[in-house]
Amino acid sequence: MAASETGSAALPGRLPAGGSSVSVLVATAIVVADMVGVGVFTSLGFQVKDIPSGFSILLLWVVGGVVALCGVFAYSELGAMFPRSSGEYNFLSRAYHPAFGFVAGWVSATIGFAAPVALAAMAFGEYGKSVLPDAPPLALAVGVVWLVSLVQLGGVKHSSTFQLIATILKVVLIVAFLVAGFVIGTPQPVTFTPSVSDFAHIASAPFAIGLVFVMYSFSGWNAATYIIGEMRDPEQNLPRAMLAGTLIVLVLYVALNAVFLHTAPSGELAGQLDVARISGTHIFGEFGGRIVGAMICIGLISSISAMMWIGPRVMMTMGEDIPSLRIFARKSTQGAPAWAILFQLAIASLMLFTRSFEAVLDFIQFSLLFCSFFTVLGVIKLRITRPDLPRPYRAWGYPVTPVVFLLVTGFMMYYLLTERPVQSFLGVLIMISGLVIYAVFRKRAGRGAASPSRE
């Protein structure tokens, strides 16, 4: 189906009246599940090496949450204006040009979701060793991705039920871990009250660099924008889901890092990826560490499920617009974009063999930041160039909140370009390849090619 050129309610990616749809509760669960993945359980080990202050580290996570909220306000305005599934593919096409939207869609389809799925699966395999010492981590990682994909192939109804149960279970387990940490954990000599020395830590380079890892942990606050077309009353429920989900995660992240620092010596946490297991061992003993590993594995299942749900919707929507990709717009009898799901599954499975957490993280970060930067900038652009467009939701704190997001995101891109030039260059190549492929598809389709409406 070609994209509507009138911007009417019959846009592709929107479910017909009476069809299965996603409630605001499920959409919030998707946001929480997508955000609370591998990042929060790994970032602290890198931060505590250079920031020996409990207050400064918690403030780092608060700052990351505030920046994420600034992004939520901007994306909510665009999502309410253009309620169509696919996130940046839809927004950049409307705000700039269909070619820019295609580049964002290409990034999402190739690395934007498949790589985080692989990263979460890698963490699942590593934490799974604490439960099944003899199980190969790679086999566990591949197995969980394939299992979750089968659920997604069952359609929106089954996906919604599975996602809601898995996310609620994740949050309950995290809260139980937090309570146990503060109640029975042995306190470490760390303070969370501010001191004069904290000003030096906050103004230091390690604090700014630590924000890069923190913002990766907060990535996923925009998850609901990829399934706008499947949501009930998206103009109202999209902002609600993203705001509620981000606030929940902000509280969980600050509390989790406080428990990690409260229960485990900083020397043991420094430079380690599995900080949650280390903390759990200090709380419950060696056997308790295995229990914590199992709980984290359960939590990662919901993250993988969320990304295997929303990621294929990008390729599905691109298939509705571009004849050469029409196969990915096809849905099964259960309403699932089967070919798009299988496509993302294949890429994620290949990425699992990369076996390098930091390299894959750097590889995806620059491209995703680039697309997010220009999406938020698009809010400002449209306010200036198209003030007449209906805006069911207007970004709170405009223009301060989008500018804050742009400044922090711009710094992160600069950091990645200077500190990880090779990985960032590979991300740029992915975007350039998207432009080339778009040109080929457009030439093949001719002047009659369908493209996302910019009206």
Side-chain angles (χ1 to χ4, degrees):
M1 180 185 296
S4 170
E5 295 298 324
T6 64
S8 69
L11 283 170
R14 296 292 300 275
L15 291 175
S20 299
S21 57
V22 176
S23 68
V24 66
L25 182 61
V26 173
T28 302
I30 290 175
V31 173
V32 173
D34 196 19
M35 293 177 73
V36 185
V38 66
V40 70
F41 300 117
T42 58
S43 299
L44 181 63
F46 298 103
Q47 296 159 5
V48 78
K49 288 193 301 183
D50 302 312
I51 308 176
S53 164
F55 172 79
S56 297
I57 288 178
L58 295 191
L59 181 62
L60 185 65
W61 288 89
V62 172
V63 170
V66 170
V67 175
L69 287 172
C70 291
V72 165
F73 299 139
Y75 271 61
S76 294
E77 177 169 321
L78 290 174
M81 290 169 64
F82 309 121
R84 190 188 186 200
S85 296
S86 69
E88 288 84 5
Y89 169 70
N90 175 38
F91 299 151
L92 294 175
S93 295
R94 305 296 187 103
Y96 300 96
H97 189 276
F100 201 169
F102 183 89
V103 169
W106 178 249
V107 170
S108 295
T110 54
I111 59 175
F113 286 99
V117 165
L119 291 173
M122 286 180 190
F124 179 89
E126 291 299 322
Y127 278 104
K129 289 193 303 183
S130 64
V131 183
L132 303 171
D134 298 328
L138 185 59
L140 292 174
V142 173
V144 71
V145 173
W146 280 74
L147 195 61
V148 167
S149 298
L150 289 177
V151 174
Q152 298 305 323
L153 289 170
V156 173
K157 183 177 180 180
H158 294 301
S159 298
S160 297
T161 303
F162 181 84
Q163 190 66 60
L164 188 58
I165 293 174
T167 305
I168 291 175
L169 182 59
K170 168 193 277 192
V171 173
V172 168
L173 292 176
I174 290 176
V175 171
F177 175 77
L178 294 173
V179 172
F182 285 119
V183 172
I184 66 176
T186 302
Q188 300 298 314
V190 60
T191 177
F192 300 117
T193 56
S195 63
V196 177
S197 61
D198 283 313
F199 290 103
H201 295 309
I202 296 169
S204 66
F207 189 90
I209 294 171
L211 187 60
V212 174
F213 292 93
V214 168
M215 289 308 300
Y216 172 73
S217 300
F218 274 101
S219 62
W221 49 264
N222 59 341
T225 64
Y226 294 92
I227 57 164
I228 300 176
E230 295 174 272
M231 291 180 63
R232 302 172 192 163
D233 193 10
E235 290 83 359
Q236 294 186 21
N237 288 340
L238 174 68
R240 292 171 181 171
M242 290 200 294
L243 179 60
T246 303
L247 287 174
I248 290 171
V249 172
L250 172 57
V251 173
L252 291 178
Y253 278 4
V254 172
L256 273 171
N257 282 277
V259 165
F260 295 156
L261 293 169
H262 176 75
T263 57
S266 297
E268 291 187 29
L269 297 175
Q272 300 300 313
L273 284 176
D274 53 346
V275 292
R277 184 191 59 79
I278 295 172
S279 175
T281 301
H282 280 273
I283 297 172
F284 304 108
E286 187 60 35
F287 182 73
R290 293 188 177 185
I291 295 177
V292 171
M295 291 193 299
I296 293 174
C297 285
I298 293 173
L300 288 170
I301 291 174
S302 72
S303 299
I304 296 169
S305 173
M307 290 182 283
M308 288 303 302
W309 181 349
I310 64 180
R313 268 56 182 181
V314 180
M315 185 61 79
M316 176 193 74
T317 306
M318 293 170 69
E320 294 170 346
D321 295 337
I322 302 168
S324 299
L325 300 177
R326 191 61 50 84
I327 187 174
F328 295 111
R330 296 178 183 174
K331 295 184 178 181
S332 65
T333 54
Q334 291 78 26
W339 286 105
I341 293 173
L342 293 174
F343 178 75
Q344 181 169 297
L345 173 61
I347 296 178
S349 299
L350 289 174
M351 284 188 172
L352 281 171
F353 294 94
T354 306
R355 307 293 292 274
S356 174
F357 175 88
E358 194 169 11
V360 176
L361 168 60
D362 293 340
F363 181 70
I364 67 173
Q365 273 296 82
F366 183 82
S367 299
L368 297 181
L369 288 171
F370 184 89
C371 293
S372 294
F373 181 92
F374 280 95
T375 298
V376 173
L377 186 63
V379 174
I380 300 175
K381 175 183 179 295
L382 290 174
R383 285 282 189 107
I384 297 172
T385 61
R386 295 299 307 274
D388 57 308
L389 286 174
R391 289 174 170 81
Y393 174 90
R394 300 178 73 88
W396 183 88
Y398 179 91
V400 176
T401 50
V403 169
V404 168
F405 183 88
L406 293 173
L407 288 174
V408 174
T409 306
F411 165 74
M412 293 171 66
M413 289 193 292
Y414 170 77
Y415 168 77
L416 290 176
L417 281 172
T418 55
E419 298 296 324
R420 304 288 193 273
V422 175
Q423 294 89 336
S424 298
F425 177 69
L426 291 173
V428 172
L429 285 182
I430 287 288
M431 291 190 287
I432 293 175
S433 68
L435 277 177
V436 173
I437 292 172
Y438 175 81
V440 172
F441 285 163
R442 187 172 180 82
K443 182 177 180 181
R444 180 182 300 175
R447 296 182 61 86
S451 62
S453 171
R454 296 173 61 192
E455 296 300 321

